[in-house]
Amino acid sequence: MRRILHLALHDSRLFLARRENFFFMFIMPTMFMLFFSVVLRGGGPTDVKVFLQVVDADDGFLSRAFIDQLETGQFEVTVLDAAAADTTAYLRRLVIPAGFTDDVLAHREVKLTLTKSAGSDLQYDAAAEVRLRQVQARFLGALVRWGRTAPDSSAPAAVPVVAPADRDRLLALLAAQPVVTVDQEFAGTGRPVPSGAGQSVPGMLTMFMVMTVAIGGAESLTREKLGGTLSRLATTTFSRGEILGGKLLHLGLVAMVQAMVLMAAGQAIGHWHLFGIDFSWGPHFGFIVLGLVPYAFAVAGLTLLLGGLFRTTQQAESLGWLVGMVLAAMGGCWWPLEIMPHGAQVAAAFFPTYWAMKVLHGVVTFGHGLDAVGLPMIVLTIFGIVFAWLGARTMKVSG
Amino acid sequence: MTPVLEVRDLHKVFGDLTAVDGISFSVNEGEIYGFLGPNGAGKTTSISMICGLLPPTEGEVLVMGLSIAEDPRGVKRLLGVVPQEVAVYEELSARMNLEFWGGIYGLKGKALRERVNGLLAQVGLDDRAAEPVKNFSGGMKRRLNLAMGLVHDPQLILLDEPTVGIDPQARHKILDIVKQIAADGRTVLYTTHYLEEAEDLCDRLAIIDHGSILAEGTVAELKAKLGEGSLLTVQGGFKAPELAAAAGAVAGLQPVEIIDGRGMLVVGRDGPGVSNALSGLFQAGLAFDDITIKEPNLEDLFLNLTGRELRD
């Protein structure tokens, strides 16, 4: 083991002696992480208004009060009358039926209809539903506090009359702090889609762990193979296993150092709220590190395989980039997997980046612990073993 | 006395190609043994099998009595390999390179520092020891390449064309270092396709081509295989059979190579003498445009053995 460590530390020193590797490891990933966190900051429907077309077939004072509540409830409302509704396109449409005000005042059941077009965004549709429930609860709460008694049921045809002062009292109740609020929370198997820094920080970490090692490591292995230092090592008392073990350990160490650099960068971004970004690694920092160790192993194995396959340093540089990009895209490092087509989501499971992202989202976004990292760790270890085995078979040590 | 290196009936076959075809030789302590042959003759493949990089298809390699097949680690500890390519870490300094390779063999602390300092001085790089190797000239890199093979003070040093691609001055420096290594009691196996190097450096030589040893011995012994005397080269408008017939009529004149328009003949010391030999050829009615007379060298021997020049 001492000999393997000797080789791994030497290779790591060599890796850092190359200025371009220093740039790729420290400067570029940090910049990317910061940039994407800023660009994606506040993304998703959480902080933006959701478009909602309202067909007000009632046009009574209660329907107008309800629409006012929609506008204060994070909706971008467009109001149409019933006649214009047939000729106007929409993403989401809420229909307030004729007689809404009278029916509510008469304590009769009223149905509001929310319709979504085929082209509407699922995330924004979900947000619209939740916000509509919130407005509904707020509106009903105010009505209850308004305290109007039900009209005489023996005279159903009578139209309730509301005095102006009484109307003003209802509007004041609607403007006041509500008694009942509806909070939203995803339950069961449904999960929020990571967005903003919650997506970009884990994504950049996962991507650069593979990019830095695959490009720099494969290029370095190819250079050693072509330059003769690898076969020179094989003429020493080091066995082939020790040489490849040293290379694997070095590559794994580089991957973990890259992870630590970006974890520190993510921590700094969240701690100082740089550019208003809100991010935290959460309470289970240790599980993140634990989950990333087999990922580093998988990345090291993959790089050994690439180093064995590449014939020139130019190949290593260009194809290393390509491999890193494909792994990042397919593993969900650039965008949430939830927005990818179903087939791509299934295919993602065959990429180690997917399992690394699963660790990070499980721990960081969903706040889980060991239960989130157990299965990914096993899968990533299997990836590592397979890649390292293939790499050992492919890598030509003896010139 | 057990030879430091003993190679027995070594073969290496790659598919249809026989790269090494049953070579056997031994090298004694303190000896510089040369492998002289053109590119592709099988020199590097032989070295690769001797140092354990390639498994032989057949045959055996013994270093100080230890078999590389049975005890590779034990044998490798005794070997210092200097590959044909400059296998150094360009980003690191000369000192760092030597320290790394010394560390590979378990050297550390003061012993490593002293050894590295000594080597840097020996190869003339002590004043540039802290500089990245990528700034070095080709000759300096070659010297470092050599020093890296010596850092653990091996018993047997395998040098595979260590002077390829460098200027005469740098080559001279490397040859001096190799002589010094041998003078210190180390054994050297030296491959080259440069005749002058082989003649100047090696105590004994094997001439190798197409994976086989064609001749072996000291430089004097090898030259003697052509016969003592002078080498006569003639060029003119004659046909090969005409010259062969004329030479056959002159006692003591041995043909080395004869083709249309050109012939190489050895005039034995006990033979007719150069003047008489030429007279004999003229009397046969041959006319020459150019006549060269010289002492035979290893190039001529190689030509005699293979029918082609060493640098073909």
Side-chain angles (χ1 to χ4, degrees):
Chain A
M1 190 61 203
R2 191 183 60 79
R3 293 153 68 91
I4 290 175
L5 190 63
H6 178 77
L7 204 54
L9 293 177
H10 163 76
D11 280 1
S12 299
R13 178 167 67 166
L14 207 59
F15 188 88
L16 290 176
R18 296 194 176 115
R19 198 171 298 171
E20 64 271 23
N21 287 340
F22 189 86
F23 174 78
F24 273 111
M25 188 171 222
F26 293 99
I27 312 295
M28 190 168 153
T30 311
M31 291 293 114
F32 261 68
M33 181 180 273
L34 191 60
F35 174 75
F36 276 94
S37 296
V38 170
V39 169
L40 299 177
R41 176 189 50 182
T46 312
D47 306 315
V48 298
K49 290 192 171 186
V50 175
F51 286 108
L52 182 68
Q53 188 185 85
V54 178
V55 177
D56 186 5
D58 178 60
D59 199 24
F61 92 94
L62 279 182
S63 70
R64 286 194 295 274
F66 188 78
I67 290 168
D68 288 344
Q69 287 301 298
L70 290 174
E71 285 175 334
T72 58
Q74 292 275 11
F75 281 106
E76 186 73 45
V77 177
T78 311
V79 182
L80 297 177
D81 57 29
D86 291 339
T87 56
T88 309
Y90 64 91
L91 284 173
R92 282 165 290 278
R93 171 182 284 176
L94 180 73
V95 177
I96 302 176
F100 172 81
T101 302
D102 292 347
D103 286 345
V104 171
L105 290 173
H107 291 210
R108 286 193 292 271
E109 186 183 72
V110 179
K111 275 191 180 174
L112 303 181
T113 311
L114 177 68
T115 316
K116 292 164 275 188
S117 77
S120 65
D121 184 287
L122 287 177
Q123 285 190 69
Y124 284 78
D125 288 345
E129 283 183 41
V130 170
R131 289 175 189 178
L132 197 56
R133 299 275 180 212
Q134 290 170 328
V135 170
Q136 187 183 18
R138 188 183 179 92
F139 193 75
L140 289 173
L143 285 177
V144 170
R145 290 174 74 192
W146 195 29
R148 281 179 62 87
T149 53
D152 183 0
S153 58
S154 62
V159 177
V161 177
V162 182
D166 218 8
R167 287 185 187 190
D168 292 344
R169 195 164 60 82
L170 175 62
L171 296 177
L173 284 169
L174 284 169
Q177 186 67 27
V179 175
V180 177
T181 56
V182 174
D183 205 358
Q184 59 170 319
E185 187 175 319
F186 287 88
T189 55
R191 283 180 166 167
V193 178
S195 61
Q199 165 63 29
S200 64
V201 172
M204 290 300 112
L205 187 148
T206 305
M207 180 177 90
F208 276 101
M209 274 181 78
V210 71
M211 294 276 276
T212 303
V213 180
I215 298 168
E219 194 267 346
S220 157
L221 280 171
T222 311
R223 190 196 297 239
E224 279 211 66
K225 201 169 59 174
L226 298 175
T229 45
L230 203 55
S231 56
R232 187 168 203 160
L233 269 173
T235 68
T236 68
T237 54
F238 273 53
S239 68
R240 180 182 162 82
E242 285 171 332
I243 294 169
L244 294 179
K247 300 291 172 197
L248 264 182
L249 181 59
H250 149 65
L251 295 167
L253 283 174
V254 171
M256 284 311 290
V257 169
Q258 178 67 91
M260 294 301 130
V261 167
L262 288 176
M263 286 176 90
Q267 183 68 21
I269 288 170
H271 181 74
W272 285 301
H273 294 288
L274 297 177
F275 301 99
I277 298 164
D278 192 22
F279 177 75
S280 165
W281 288 109
H284 303 304
F285 198 79
F287 286 124
I288 299 173
V289 178
L290 189 68
L292 288 178
V293 169
Y295 177 55
F297 173 49
V299 166
L302 174 68
T303 307
L304 190 68
L305 175 60
L306 294 177
L309 291 173
F310 293 150
R311 293 283 169 262
T312 64
T313 52
Q314 288 80 7
Q315 271 183 8
E317 282 167 8
S318 53
L319 295 179
W321 270 98
L322 186 66
V323 169
M325 293 285 184
V326 170
L327 284 171
M330 290 303 296
C333 300
W334 290 347
W335 43 65
L337 277 177
E338 287 82 349
I339 68 167
M340 289 167 68
H342 177 70
Q345 291 189 34
V346 173
F350 294 94
F351 293 82
T353 38
Y354 165 83
W355 295 96
M357 288 299 285
K358 216 168 169 54
V359 167
L360 292 169
H361 281 324
V363 178
V364 179
T365 310
F366 309 130
H368 296 311
L370 192 60
D371 53 327
V373 299
L375 178 63
M377 280 181 71
I378 292 169
V379 176
L380 285 167
T381 304
I382 292 169
F383 266 115
I385 291 169
V386 171
F387 284 144
W389 180 75
L390 289 172
R393 287 182 63 87
T394 316
M395 181 59 70
K396 202 174 171 190
V397 171
S398 52
Chain B
M1 188 176 70
T2 308
V4 172
L5 172 64
E6 192 170 1
V7 173
R8 295 177 185 160
D9 196 27
L10 207 57
H11 288 75
K12 185 67 192 178
V13 179
F14 299 104
D16 295 335
L17 174 73
T18 301
V20 175
D21 193 9
I23 62 169
S24 299
F25 64 95
S26 60
V27 187
N28 298 317
E29 188 176 350
E31 198 174 24
I32 302 177
Y33 188 92
F35 250 29
L36 177 66
N39 293 328
K43 303 189 298 291
T44 299
T45 306
S46 300
I47 290 266
S48 295
M49 286 190 283
I50 292 167
C51 70
L53 273 181
L54 285 177
T57 307
E58 200 182 323
E60 192 176 21
V61 175
L62 299 171
V63 178
M64 300 187 81
L66 298 174
S67 165
I68 184 94
E70 291 167 10
D71 185 6
R73 188 166 283 189
V75 169
K76 286 176 174 184
R77 207 182 300 281
L78 301 169
L79 293 180
V81 181
V82 180
Q84 187 172 340
E85 63 270 33
V86 180
V88 301
Y89 297 110
E90 300 254 340
E91 293 79 8
L92 302 183
S93 67
R95 180 180 298 282
M96 284 173 167
N97 268 285
L98 288 170
E99 284 174 349
F100 167 67
W101 291 101
I104 286 280
Y105 288 96
L107 290 174
K108 54 188 173 184
K110 190 181 173 192
L112 177 61
R113 276 195 305 278
E114 284 179 357
R115 179 65 184 154
V116 167
N117 287 336
L119 275 172
L120 285 168
Q122 188 178 358
V123 299
L125 292 173
D126 41 350
D127 56 336
R128 305 281 296 270
E131 235 181 276
V133 174
K134 60 186 172 193
N135 296 343
F136 284 10
S137 67
M140 291 165 73
K141 287 179 186 173
R142 281 274 169 203
R143 277 184 272 154
L144 177 62
N145 198 37
L146 174 58
M148 281 159 56
L150 306 175
V151 70
H152 58 296
D153 197 16
Q155 292 296 313
L156 172 64
I157 296 125
L158 309 178
L159 297 166
D160 191 8
E161 307 231 20
T163 59
V164 166
I166 56 175
D167 60 70
Q169 194 181 354
R171 178 182 296 177
H172 188 71
K173 175 84 181 169
I174 285 180
L175 296 183
D176 281 348
I177 296 167
V178 175
K179 286 175 187 168
Q180 185 59 49
I181 293 167
D184 291 342
R186 300 293 174 247
T187 306
V188 176
L189 175 62
Y190 190 99
T191 80
T192 183
H193 63 269
Y194 295 126
L195 285 161
E196 309 77 20
E197 271 183 16
E199 286 198 52
D200 177 41
L201 196 66
C202 299
D203 300 312
R204 284 194 301 139
L205 275 173
I207 294 180
I208 182 169
D209 193 33
H210 296 305
S212 298
I213 292 178
L214 305 177
E216 188 195 20
T218 63
V219 174
E221 285 168 350
L222 289 170
K223 283 182 178 175
K225 288 183 191 291
L226 276 178
E228 292 189 5
S230 301
L231 191 71
L232 180 64
T233 305
V234 292
Q235 292 185 61
F238 54 83
K239 297 287 182 191
E242 294 170 353
L243 180 61
V250 181
L253 189 59
Q254 298 168 0
V256 174
E257 184 200 32
I258 297 177
I259 56 175
D260 286 351
R262 186 170 181 271
M264 190 182 290
L265 310 146
V266 172
V267 184
R269 216 173 282 284
D270 300 328
V274 173
S275 302
N276 291 334
L278 279 171
S279 296
L281 295 176
F282 286 132
Q283 283 167 13
L286 297 175
F288 303 119
D289 303 327
D290 186 51
I291 298 170
T292 309
I293 303 159
K294 64 169 187 169
E295 289 293 307
N297 60 19
L298 292 176
E299 174 83 55
D300 304 319
L301 176 61
F302 188 83
L303 186 65
N304 181 238
L305 292 171
T306 67
R308 62 196 180 99
E309 292 184 1
L310 189 57
R311 289 180 181 85
D312 278 353

